[in-house]
Amino acid sequence: MPESTKMNKPDVKIVILGDMNVGKTSLLHRYTERKFKDTISTVGGAFFLKQWGPYNISIWDTAGREQFHGLGSMYCRGAAAVILTYDVTNWQSYAELEDRFLSLTDTANPDCIFAIVGNKADLTDSDAHVADPEGGQGDGSKALAPPTGPAPPAALQVPKQVNREDAMALYARVLRYKDLEEKACLPAGRMCFETSAKTGYNVDALFESLFDMVLPAILKRRNNSRDSTVDLNTLRTHRRTKAGCCD
Ligand SMILES: Nc1nc2c(ncn2[C@@H]2O[C@H](COP(=O)(O)OP(=O)(O)OP(=O)(O)O)[C@@H](O)[C@H]2O)c(=O)[nH]1
Ligand SMILES: [Mg+2]
């Protein structure tokens, strides 16, 4: 049975946002199916459930197309983590994150975690052209990802328009937008990733470090709901006592 059909209610939610064509769906395919396959532009949104230890994590893929923009804040409602994705060869896709997508995260959890992800690193970076040697099966087991051949000659590489420093600067601005103290948050170095859905470069590292980072949010939610649970036995005894006027 596929992993996604035997799952229960999700404990926590992660949302992938970003402009159309940056590779959001491809990142999710790469992680869940260990493949880079043809995609069609996402309509609305779709989600995948991942079991991580005893917890169920839902990962929401959203549509980057302008016409679906209004749905973004709905998908972000209650999110414990948001992945802001751009294409490293496209400056506009980076600029759009702040102009168009950041405000959608107003509905996320107050302690939501943000990751900034520059995808399509294989187009610019020969390291990213090599399949991720840590590539796992998506279930925690590790296997070598298929080789992807030699890196393209430098002349065929696309110029990189967005650098890691730009991503780290955006991370700092996101924290300011959220009114969060930089010192109290996870450091930019851990939250900015360059990935390639095509080769698998850094894809497991992205998703699996986020899964670990949202675990405290799950535990907090469980504790809160335990605190607000009413013990029916206590309540019944109390009611009976009151009704009988014996107290
Ligand atoms: N070279 C390269 N191409 C990629 C990569 N990721 C995605 N692509 C290509 O980029 C195009 C868009 O990929 P999608 O995953 O559909 O993009 P998306 O962000 O989901 O787009 P929307 O659903 O429209 O918001 C496709 O042609 C992919 O094959 C990557 O890491 N490297
Ligand atoms: Mg898509």
Side-chain angles (χ1 to χ4, degrees), residues 3-227:
E3 201 173 5
S4 54
T5 56
K6 58 179 181 197
M7 294 287 183
N8 298 321
K9 209 168 157 279
D11 294 296
V12 79
K13 175 178 174 184
I14 297 178
V15 182
I16 313 179
L17 289 182
D19 206 357
M20 63 180 285
N21 214 40
V22 297
K24 301 177 296 298
T25 304
S26 301
L27 283 168
L28 204 48
H29 283 165
R30 166 57 74 183
Y31 183 66
T32 58
E33 298 176 38
R34 326 306 297 161
K35 276 191 217 140
F36 181 63
K37 56 183 205 186
D38 287 343
T39 52
I40 45 167
S41 187
T42 304
V43 172
F47 80 99
F48 175 81
L49 272 167
K50 169 77 187 170
Q51 186 154 19
W52 190 245
Y55 306 113
N56 296 316
I57 297 179
S58 64
I59 313 165
W60 284 81
D61 178 23
T62 61
R65 271 196 279 167
E66 187 98 49
Q67 72 193 98
F68 297 111
H69 194 62
L71 297 174
S73 59
M74 188 185 84
Y75 288 122
C76 286
R77 190 172 307 281
V82 170
I83 303 175
L84 293 170
T85 317
Y86 62 91
D87 168 351
V88 291
T89 69
N90 180 342
W91 179 266
Q92 188 56 31
S93 71
Y94 167 82
E96 292 279 318
L97 288 178
E98 222 167 343
D99 294 350
R100 196 152 70 87
F101 291 97
L102 187 53
S103 61
L104 300 180
T105 67
D106 291 352
T107 52
N109 279 352
D111 52 0
C112 179
I113 292 166
F114 289 85
I116 313 285
V117 173
N119 189 41
K120 305 199 185 178
D122 60 284
L123 294 175
T124 64
D125 184 344
S126 47
D127 285 349
H129 191 74
V130 180
D132 185 352
E134 291 297 309
Q137 301 299 301
D139 57 1
S141 66
K142 298 288 177 196
L144 277 183
T148 52
L156 292 183
Q157 287 181 12
V158 181
K160 190 170 187 175
Q161 293 193 3
V162 190
N163 290 311
R164 205 173 137 74
E165 294 71 46
D166 300 312
M168 305 220 332
L170 173 61
Y171 181 72
R173 293 198 298 277
V174 169
L175 297 189
R176 270 205 296 281
Y177 174 83
K178 291 279 160 190
D179 242 346
L180 293 168
E181 275 269 352
E182 215 168 310
K183 274 184 265 144
C185 295
L186 292 157
R190 283 183 64 199
M191 303 314 293
C192 297
F193 297 79
E194 290 191 345
T195 58
S196 168
K198 185 169 181 180
T199 66
Y201 175 73
N202 244 351
V203 175
D204 286 355
L206 162 68
F207 284 106
E208 296 185 354
S209 36
L210 272 186
F211 296 160
D212 284 339
M213 288 173 194
V214 296
L215 294 185
I218 299 178
L219 297 177
K220 191 170 149 195
R221 213 171 104 177
R222 290 204 168 174
N223 279 342
N224 286 349
S225 63
R226 205 172 301 135
D227 288 349

